Amino acid sequence: MAKKKTNAAQAKKALLKAGLEYPEAWEDHPWGESVVKVGKKIFLFAGLEGSGLRCTLKLPETGEAALATFSFTAPTGYGLGKSGWVTCSFEEGADVPLPLLLEWLAESYRAIAPKKLLKQLGSMSGK
């Protein structure tokens, strides 16, 4: 059986849902964009552009490899790329690699969340 493709809207919904499952995570909408924060700090930007998806995550461990490996990645603008932020852009109809983005979401949360919350992750399966 063929693997089901994940489109932009499905991926955005799944990323937001997964992000909100982390301890003390909450959704906000600055600049008209959906973000997920822990405390006052963002760890996921997720927006639909036309029929495509654009998401941004902090990847201090895998960011360089992601930028060197995947054509859908770019350093985030406004100088954020220098701090490990990576933006992923998918055109309309692209098959979004959701399992990979969910791994990066976990890394982004770990990079932003306070240490006291990271201790709670050990008791959460799959995080």
Side-chain angles (χ1 to χ4, degrees):
M1 185 170 175
K3 174 182 133 343
K4 183 182 173 199
K5 286 178 69 169
T6 302
N7 68 31
Q10 292 166 329
K12 178 184 177 190
K13 183 177 178 181
L15 283 168
L16 290 172
K17 181 178 185 274
L20 292 170
E21 291 175 356
Y22 285 96
E24 297 187 25
W26 59 285
E27 188 171 355
D28 197 6
H29 299 279
W31 318 290
E33 187 170 0
S34 295
V35 302
V36 181
K37 296 180 175 181
V38 58
K40 294 181 180 181
K41 296 182 177 183
I42 298 171
F43 67 96
L44 168 67
F45 292 85
L48 295 174
E49 291 191 356
S51 296
L53 171 68
R54 181 182 194 136
C55 64
T56 301
L57 303 140
K58 185 168 178 86
L59 303 177
E61 296 170 23
T62 61
E64 285 185 35
L67 292 167
T69 305
F70 300 102
S71 62
F72 57 80
T73 62
T76 303
Y78 307 106
L80 293 172
K82 294 177 185 174
S83 299
W85 287 90
V86 175
T87 297
C88 305
S89 300
F90 301 94
E91 299 293 327
E92 177 181 358
D95 185 9
V96 179
L98 185 58
L100 177 63
L101 295 182
L102 291 172
E103 286 179 28
W104 289 349
L105 177 65
E107 180 180 344
S108 189
Y109 179 83
R110 285 179 177 2
I112 299 298
K115 289 183 173 139
K116 68 177 180 114
L117 295 180
L118 295 180
K119 290 178 184 176
Q120 293 180 30
L121 291 178
S123 62
M124 297 174 66
S125 63
K127 299 284 183 216

